[in-house]
Amino acid sequence: MGVLCLVLLCAAVCCGQLRVFNLRAKGLPQDSLGITDGYVRVICRNDLVGQTSVRKNTVDPWWKEEFMYYSAVENSTLKLEVHDEDLIWDDLVGTCLSQVQFGTHQNQCALEKGGMLYYDYTLS
Ligand SMILES: *[C@@H]1O[C@H](CO)[C@@H](O)[C@H](O)[C@H]1NC(C)=O
């Protein structure tokens, strides 16, 4: 009983459910071979939540994956890293940081090496 109360209390008080979805990018830079194979890594509170598939040879990729994270709170840092897959070394195209807020939000951010990332999230 005591443990159950503790678990319920934690779920109610400290931990929100974060869903990250509808990730897409526009105008990603091309590498020296003129190819962009983009993917996104989703990180929350320094935990790797997941990674999208690689969208081959497009500068305007979208990803259908959704990510769930159950230990988010208001103002938790959500970090999205956009990478370009290469044979030898994957390039980091840019990093998007935000402090999550309750509700559903549409975000966009400019990537350091060019292009934009768009994504939605819901914190509940
Ligand atoms: C979140 O950040 C805002 C603005 O800095 C602050 O007013 C609020 O108290 C913070 N909430 C929590 C739970 O830390």
Side-chain angles (χ1 to χ4, degrees), residues 25 27-41 51-63 81-93:
L28 295 181
Q30 297 184 325
D31 67 16
S32 51
L33 299 174
I35 296 172
T36 304
D37 298 326
Y39 66 92
V40 184
R41 203 170 267 178
Q51 188 171 308
T52 67
S53 57
V54 177
R55 288 282 171 195
K56 295 275 185 191
N57 202 10
T58 174
V59 297
D60 300 325
W62 62 274
W63 296 273
E81 292 177 356
V82 180
H83 294 261
D84 179 12
E85 185 184 65
D86 260 322
L87 282 180
I88 316 274
W89 189 256
D90 291 0
D91 269 339
L92 179 62
V93 180

Side-chain angles (χ1 to χ4, degrees), residues 74-75 99 101:
E74 186 186 13
N75 296 339
Q99 294 192 305
Q101 305 300 322

